Amino acid sequence: MRSLCLSALGACILPALHADVTTSGTVSVGGGYSSIDGDRPAFSQATQLPRGPHGGIEEFTLTKEGEDFRLRFDGRALFGEEDFLASLKYDYRERLHIAVGYETFQHWYDGSGGFFRPKNLGFKIFDENLHLKRSRFWASVGLSFENGTYLKLKYDQRMRDGTKSSTHWADTNLVGSPYGTRNIVPSFYDLDEQVSTLTFDVGNEAGEEVKWNAGVRYSETELDNKRNIRRRPGESADRIVTSKDETKTDIFAAHGYYLRKITEKLTISGGALITNLDSNLSGSRIYGQTYDPVYDPAYLRRQQRDEGFYDLEGHSDLKQTVLNLNAVYLPFKNWSVRPSIRFENLQQETLADFVETNVGAGPSFAAIIEDIEAEHKKDYNEFTEAIEVRYTGKPKWTFSGEAQLIQGNGDLEEDRVIHHTGQRTIDRDTEIKRATQKLSFTTNYYPKPGLTFAAQYFYKAKQNDYDAVRDNTLPGSADRYPAYITDQDFETNDVNFRVSWKPLPMLASVTRYDLQKSKVISIEAGLKKGESSEFTSHIISQNFTWTPMSRLYVTGNVNVTFDQLATPAYTFVKQGDNNYINGSVGAGYALAEKDDLYVDYSWFNASNFVDNSATSLPLNVSQRQHASTISWVRRHSEHLTVSLRYSFITNRDGTWAGRNDFDAHLVYGKIQYHF
């Protein structure tokens, strides 16, 4: 596919290069150095930069234009950051469009685990400077005809390869008495993923009376992922568990829509989507003394309830059908009404065989091996009705409101059988009913030029009912999950205000306040209805731009967030608050005709840590991060620009008791040439 696209691109480009053309472009070359005192992984995750030297070709563009064509090349090659790009775009008489390109870059992660303050205990059992290589190749061709009809064919391949952090932390007993067990041991992912997608679209959107589009999409996904967990390191029960996901998925989707303007007051449109997702499942969860081990029923240091599986073979088929119908109706002057209806049907069947492993009680810790077959069937229908009304007839005011109702119902069947005994450990049939209501109202007021008020209210309520008409699992058993949840309701209220004000020609300001309250109410089998959690969020933000003179500007913004979580589990989680303030201030000053000076300062401050080590693992964030930058830019000529930048970044992470602290100095210079 790649060679075919490149050959086609070359065949179109080479003849045009002999024509009378104009050439323009840009070359930017830069380089810098990062000096770090402190935790390197935390620095790289925060800045997405490596320690030490980095740089290269920041930008290279070359454009050739003739009477009938336009050819553009874009390139980038940054070493240290491992960021590379090469792409070509070719347009011929605005009728033929060809593009091909390849991009790869690196994304850093910090693999730190938790930290237990009373014992000053943390674990570093692998290189925590984790990173993923992300790559993408694409090629597309498009044809446009004089009547507005177009054809588009595109191939896109995306890849991820490398390691990243995981929020699944393993257990340790080294915290000692009276604390028991705490989950603070870090784990990490080893990913190898590839997604290839081919799309074809045909349509015509140039007409005023009629617009239409139809297309198909085929996608292949291959996963070869591992999550590596080390349990109880440094103890007699030290062992490693590797979870592997080797899923392969094919997706075929066909879609289309049609829009027609019936009269000046009425426009209707409709669309359809049909998707078929076919997956082959394989993988394992195996304990051993190394990463990615082969299953051994007598592996060293095994413990009771070390549950896993291997030889997973399964297949899943999902079919989705979506139909929608929309209208825009203008009944009177300054009024618009937009009703819509939507239907979705989802059918899913999954069948899997695997060998489940477990470990019995000591002192023998005998292996328990069972051959399992599991089946899952789901059939779900959902209807959505919505209407939006807008009114603009009152001077200096606009009003709009929207209402949406969603009703869904379906059936979920679950079976789990132990082959060698014939025992059906799960035999469950659950009826699902869901109902959602959404309401929103927005108004804008323009009392005078330079002053705008806006307000919005949003309400959402969702009710989920799960009725197990057949269930052989016992209350309180592990196999009961998630069937013990019989009802779960969500409710959200949100109101926000915005004021945009320009009191002086050289001063502009935007102020915003947002209040959101959400709660979750649950009913578990055998328990009374109760409030699982209540979340309240206040967000205040202020932005301004000030230009006191032609050669000076100042900008700034500040955001203050108060997030409070109330839950019956307060004894264990203490406060679940996420309160923080962040902001930035920047200024630019013209030192001379060719020289400009820029300064920037940004900060983030959160102080939510509560040491509840006696009952649980504290997770709330307490962190302070400050970054200061000064830049000098000299526009030496119309074609040549030189710049130099220095930054200082400091990070203090109270949640990890300073283990992720760092101070960093960054110097970077760049030369840019336009031709």
Side-chain angles (χ1 to χ4, degrees):
M1 180 68 185
R2 297 187 188 183
S3 60
L4 179 62
C5 293
L6 290 170
S7 299
L9 184 62
C12 295
I13 293 173
L14 289 177
L17 295 181
H18 297 289
D20 185 18
V21 299
T22 59
T23 302
S24 62
T26 301
V27 179
S28 296
V29 179
Y33 189 88
S34 303
S35 173
I36 308 166
D37 180 14
D39 191 63
R40 175 186 175 188
F43 165 81
S44 292
Q45 179 172 269
T47 63
Q48 289 304 304
L49 289 172
R51 181 180 63 182
H54 55 276
I57 302 173
E58 269 195 24
E59 179 186 17
F60 177 73
T61 64
L62 178 64
T63 304
K64 290 182 175 290
E65 292 188 76
E67 182 179 353
D68 296 330
F69 78 96
R70 185 174 189 269
L71 172 66
R72 178 185 172 103
F73 173 81
D74 287 272
R76 182 174 66 246
L78 297 174
F79 298 91
E81 301 174 57
E82 307 306 317
D83 188 351
F84 306 97
L85 166 71
S87 71
L88 276 171
K89 294 181 181 178
Y90 178 73
D91 295 284
Y92 182 70
R93 292 186 176 179
E94 298 184 351
R95 292 287 184 263
L96 174 63
H97 315 278
I98 300 176
V100 62
Y102 178 77
E103 178 183 32
T104 180
F105 63 93
Q106 196 155 274
H107 193 98
W108 280 269
Y109 298 89
D110 183 357
S112 297
F115 185 76
F116 195 71
R117 285 172 177 261
K119 297 291 184 176
N120 195 32
L121 179 65
F123 291 87
K124 187 174 181 179
I125 54 178
F126 52 81
D127 184 0
E128 296 178 353
N129 195 44
L130 308 176
H131 53 81
L132 278 178
K133 178 183 177 183
R134 297 172 181 256
S135 304
R136 180 190 175 208
F137 170 79
W138 67 94
S140 65
V141 59
L143 291 173
S144 301
F145 301 94
E146 292 185 1
N147 64 356
T149 301
Y150 60 83
L151 302 172
K152 296 180 181 179
L153 178 65
K154 183 177 182 180
Y155 174 76
D156 190 284
Q157 185 182 75
R158 297 174 184 266
M159 292 154 284
R160 296 200 307 170
D161 183 36
T163 55
K164 71 182 295 288
S165 56
S166 170
T167 55
H168 185 122
W169 292 346
D171 54 324
T172 179
N173 281 348
L174 294 181
V175 296
S177 178
Y179 303 108
T181 302
R182 290 290 185 269
N183 289 70
I184 61 174
V185 182
S187 59
F188 68 96
Y189 284 102
D190 187 352
L191 304 181
D192 185 1
E193 303 176 348
Q194 179 174 299
V195 181
S196 303
T197 305
L198 182 66
T199 59
F200 175 74
D201 284 277
V202 57
N204 190 318
E205 299 179 350
E208 295 184 2
E209 303 292 331
V210 175
K211 298 181 180 181
W212 60 274
N213 170 271
V216 293
R217 179 177 183 266
Y218 176 73
S219 179
E220 289 183 344
T221 300
E222 295 186 13
L223 306 179
D224 187 6
N225 296 338
K226 304 180 185 72
R227 183 171 63 190
N228 301 291
I229 305 168
R230 186 173 174 183
R231 301 187 61 184
R232 309 272 292 275
E235 303 177 48
S236 60
D238 188 351
R239 63 229 193 264
I240 294 173
V241 54
T242 302
S243 296
K244 299 178 66 174
D245 179 4
E246 299 172 329
T247 301
K248 294 183 179 180
T249 300
D250 297 332
I251 301 176
F252 176 81
H255 68 270
Y257 84 90
Y258 180 81
L259 179 148
R260 184 176 183 86
K261 188 175 183 179
I262 305 299
T263 67
E264 290 297 323
K265 291 188 175 183
L266 178 62
T267 301
I268 62 171
S269 64
L273 170 68
I274 299 175
T275 303
N276 189 359
L277 186 151
D278 186 73
S279 301
N280 292 314
L281 312 174
S282 61
S284 61
R285 176 182 169 88
I286 299 176
Y287 280 81
Q289 288 300 305
T290 62
Y291 292 119
D292 197 11
V294 176
Y295 177 69
D296 178 2
Y299 65 90
L300 294 176
R301 302 174 185 173
R302 59 192 180 276
Q303 296 292 301
Q304 185 179 7
R305 293 185 294 275
D306 276 358
E307 190 169 358
F309 64 92
Y310 64 91
D311 284 353
L312 171 64
E313 292 185 3
H315 179 263
S316 177
D317 185 62
L318 183 148
K319 293 181 173 65
Q320 179 190 38
T321 303
V322 179
L323 305 172
N324 65 71
L325 181 64
N326 311 278
V328 178
Y329 180 50
L330 309 175
F332 310 105
K333 182 181 179 181
N334 302 317
W335 285 90
S336 68
V337 182
R338 300 171 182 264
S340 65
I341 57 174
R342 182 182 185 273
F343 168 75
E344 178 182 357
N345 171 256
L346 185 69
Q347 298 180 12
Q348 184 178 17
E349 293 187 17
T350 302
L351 180 65
D353 288 285
F354 57 94
V355 178
E356 184 177 65
T357 64
N358 211 330
V359 177
S364 63
F365 297 110
I368 304 171
I369 301 176
E370 297 177 325
D371 193 5
I372 303 294
E373 179 182 293
E375 188 175 3
H376 161 284
K377 293 182 180 179
K378 184 177 183 180
D379 192 347
Y380 185 76
N381 294 313
E382 187 174 270
F383 293 88
T384 303
E385 307 88 30
I387 186 169
E388 178 186 352
V389 179
R390 182 176 176 85
Y391 175 66
T392 58
K394 188 173 181 179
K396 300 181 180 181
W397 288 86
T398 64
F399 303 91
S400 64
E402 183 177 4
Q404 186 181 84
L405 299 176
I406 304 174
Q407 310 90 42
N409 64 84
D411 184 77
L412 174 63
E413 295 183 45
E414 300 166 281
D415 291 290
R416 184 177 183 272
V417 179
I418 302 176
H419 276 303
H420 60 278
T421 65
Q423 180 185 2
R424 192 174 298 272
T425 56
I426 298 178
D427 181 16
R428 183 159 53 225
D429 186 1
T430 305
E431 292 182 352
I432 303 171
K433 293 183 180 180
R434 290 173 176 161
T436 303
Q437 304 87 41
K438 297 180 183 179
L439 298 171
S440 65
F441 177 78
T442 303
T443 182
N444 295 281
Y445 176 48
Y446 312 92
K448 63 179 182 179
L451 182 60
T452 302
F453 295 92
Q456 183 183 55
Y457 171 73
F458 171 81
Y459 171 79
K460 179 180 179 181
K462 185 174 183 179
Q463 297 84 37
N464 301 303
D465 295 319
Y466 309 101
D467 184 12
V469 296
R470 183 180 76 252
D471 190 354
N472 70 336
T473 61
L474 298 175
S477 69
D479 291 333
R480 201 69 188 278
Y481 180 83
Y484 69 84
I485 303 176
T486 61
D487 183 280
Q488 197 163 57
D489 301 336
F490 302 82
E491 183 177 293
T492 298
N493 286 273
D494 184 290
V495 60
N496 63 78
F497 304 94
R498 187 182 72 251
V499 180
S500 301
W501 188 29
K502 194 172 183 179
L504 299 171
M506 71 289 292
L507 180 62
S509 167
V510 179
T511 305
R512 181 183 174 94
Y513 170 71
D514 193 302
L515 168 64
Q516 183 179 108
K517 299 195 71 172
S518 301
K519 62 181 178 181
V520 180
I521 299 174
S522 304
I523 300 179
E524 283 80 23
L527 300 177
K528 294 182 179 180
K529 186 175 185 179
E531 189 172 284
S532 302
S533 63
E534 183 173 1
F535 176 78
T536 304
S537 176
H538 302 266
I539 302 174
I540 305 170
S541 64
Q542 175 65 56
N543 300 271
F544 75 90
T545 302
W546 181 41
T547 311
M549 61 183 71
S550 59
R551 61 194 304 170
L552 173 66
Y553 75 85
V554 181
T555 64
N557 71 83
V558 61
N559 298 278
V560 182
T561 299
F562 297 97
D563 287 347
Q564 293 87 37
L565 176 66
T567 171
Y570 175 83
T571 304
F572 296 97
V573 302
K574 294 301 181 185
Q575 64 180 44
D577 295 351
N578 182 29
N579 306 325
Y580 62 89
I581 179 171
N582 67 292
S584 64
V585 178
Y589 183 70
L591 294 172
E593 181 180 353
K594 296 182 178 181
D595 298 274
D596 295 332
L597 183 68
Y598 300 92
V599 292
D600 296 279
Y601 171 70
S602 62
W603 75 93
F604 172 86
N605 189 15
S607 182
N608 303 301
F609 182 82
V610 175
D611 191 357
N612 57 326
S613 303
T615 56
S616 182
L617 174 67
L619 294 175
N620 297 334
V621 173
S622 286
Q623 182 181 19
R624 291 180 289 111
Q625 189 173 108
H626 301 267
S628 304
T629 301
I630 181 168
S631 305
W632 167 74
V633 178
R634 179 175 177 81
R635 294 171 178 83
H636 187 76
S637 66
E638 180 183 353
H639 302 284
L640 182 63
T641 302
V642 180
S643 63
L644 184 64
R645 182 177 73 241
Y646 166 76
S647 300
F648 176 70
I649 304 174
T650 178
N651 182 74
R652 296 294 180 267
D653 200 329
T655 304
W656 273 261
R659 298 177 77 226
N660 289 343
D661 291 358
F662 65 84
D663 295 320
H665 301 267
L666 296 84
V667 180
Y668 197 84
K670 182 174 71 173
I671 299 175
Q672 186 177 69
Y673 182 73
H674 301 277
F675 58 91

